[in-house]
Amino acid sequence: MVDLRIAAARDDDLDLAAAEYAAGERPARRDDFIHYCLPFADRLAHRYAGRGEPLDDLEQVSRMALVKAIDRYEPDRGSFTAYAALTMHGELKKHFRDRTWGVHVTRRVQDLGLAVGRAVRDLTGELFRPPTTAEIADRVGATVAAVDEALLSSAGHTTASLNAPIREGEGDELGDLYGGADPDLASADDRLTLAVLLRRLPAREQRMLALRFHGNRTQQEIAAEFGVSQMHVSRLLARALTWLRESMLSDAAPTWPGVEGTAWDLTVRRAAGVPTVRVRGEVDRDTAGSLRTCLIQVVGAAGRGDTVVLDLTGVPLMDAAGVAVLADAARAAGMAGVDLRLAGVQPTVRAVLDALRSALR
């Protein structure tokens, strides 16, 4: 058996060397054959030099393709030189397609872009004017939208560096023309703090603030949605904004006035043997629990056929949580055979109850 390196040095025919390689023990002679073929791979890589990619990278791609061709080569399928050259050319073109674009573009769009470029050149020579998009689409057999996409993607092949000088000899760079100081950056911390504080507000106040400042709703429209007066909406918004402002200016958020510090009061009195539960203040999510406990206790202590009065004269507002308390108390009274009556219902509260009664019909 002739040594492959000696035969290769004596005859510069890759096909002959490949035949000797295939006839012997390929695993043992593989490294020698690869080493012998490396100049051929480098020559092919040099043909693609000067196209924006480092020569070392091109040589590396070509050599890797050469190894792939050697491992897959079958002597009965034809010339090794032709097979290896096709493999290396394909890998080099794939490298340029995948690595040299400034933005990622699919192969379908890249191939269509090449076809569109050829069609533009041909049609310009035939028509003596730039072709329209419809004419290009007809020539390449694609839709107008696909041609527009290909033309747009072609601009992404090469991107300009932001560090490129605007004019020769000047220190200004292209990046200096873009961007600028963000005017909202200084308030970023305040916005994050405000977002946390807003979540600490009751759901009613959160909804009202959202409707007023994001939905551009008037106070009258908000009042109609909640079934309260416009003056009451104004008071609730002012209270919420005041609390937010004080919380933003202090290290610790002050107590929300909707929970403590208001005129909320709950008393039980008997007049002529009839228990009366008097409520003063808003009945909302924060106070509904206390009212529910009190009503259940009073109804439970009353005998069958007795009357329990719920005096709402001092209640200016009742939300869904308060309405749920009334519904629970009415069910408990019905089961106990107690007559539960409402007294002193204010117009805003009556509007809420009437709306609920209409919705349940």
Side-chain angles (χ1 to χ4, degrees), residues 52-125:
E53 280 292 280
L55 182 59
D56 291 343
D57 290 351
L58 298 178
E59 290 180 347
Q60 182 71 11
V61 172
S62 182
R63 291 181 177 186
M64 292 296 295
L66 171 67
V67 174
K68 185 184 299 183
I70 291 174
D71 291 339
R72 297 178 178 178
Y73 173 63
E74 297 295 337
D76 56 348
R77 293 190 176 183
S79 169
F80 169 78
T81 304
Y83 173 67
L86 288 174
T87 303
M88 288 185 281
H89 278 300
E91 290 295 327
L92 287 167
K93 291 179 180 179
K94 181 181 177 181
H95 174 79
F96 277 96
R97 184 179 67 244
D98 297 340
R99 301 296 180 88
T100 60
W101 282 71
V103 294
H104 177 71
V105 178
T106 62
R107 183 173 183 178
R108 176 188 63 82
V109 177
Q110 292 184 25
D111 293 341
L112 181 59
L114 295 175
V116 167
R118 290 191 295 268
V120 169
R121 291 192 297 270
D122 295 342
L123 289 172
T124 301

Side-chain angles (χ1 to χ4, degrees), residues 187-266:
S187 61
D189 290 341
D190 292 339
R191 293 199 301 272
L192 292 175
T193 304
L194 182 61
V196 175
L197 293 174
L198 284 172
R199 289 194 292 268
R200 298 181 59 179
L201 290 174
R204 177 188 58 188
E205 276 72 4
Q206 292 185 34
R207 176 65 177 166
M208 286 186 174
L209 289 172
L211 292 174
R212 183 69 183 93
F213 296 103
H214 291 278
N216 294 323
R217 304 277 290 276
T218 65
Q219 293 185 5
Q220 192 67 37
E221 292 172 336
I222 298 174
E225 178 170 328
F226 280 84
V228 298
S229 66
Q230 182 271 331
M231 289 297 296
H232 193 60
V233 171
S234 177
R235 183 174 66 84
L236 293 177
L237 289 174
R239 183 176 67 177
L241 293 174
T242 300
W243 183 83
L244 288 172
R245 188 178 299 108
E246 293 176 355
S247 300
M248 293 287 292
L249 298 176
S250 60
D251 295 333
T255 302
W256 168 246
V259 180
E260 299 179 2
T262 62
W264 166 257
D265 184 43
L266 182 64

Side-chain angles (χ1 to χ4, degrees), residues 30 47 70 82 128 139 142 152 178 186 191 221 228 233 254 271 324 340-341:
R30 178 174 178 271
R47 296 182 183 180
I70 291 174
F128 300 101
R139 174 62 63 92
L152 181 62
Y178 300 94
R191 293 199 301 272
E221 292 172 336
V228 298
V233 171
L340 178 63
R341 299 182 180 181

Side-chain angles (χ1 to χ4, degrees), residues 341-360:
R341 299 182 180 181
L342 302 181
V345 181
Q346 299 299 310
T348 54
V349 178
R350 185 177 299 279
V352 174
L353 296 177
D354 290 343
L356 179 62
R357 189 179 298 111
S358 299
L360 295 177

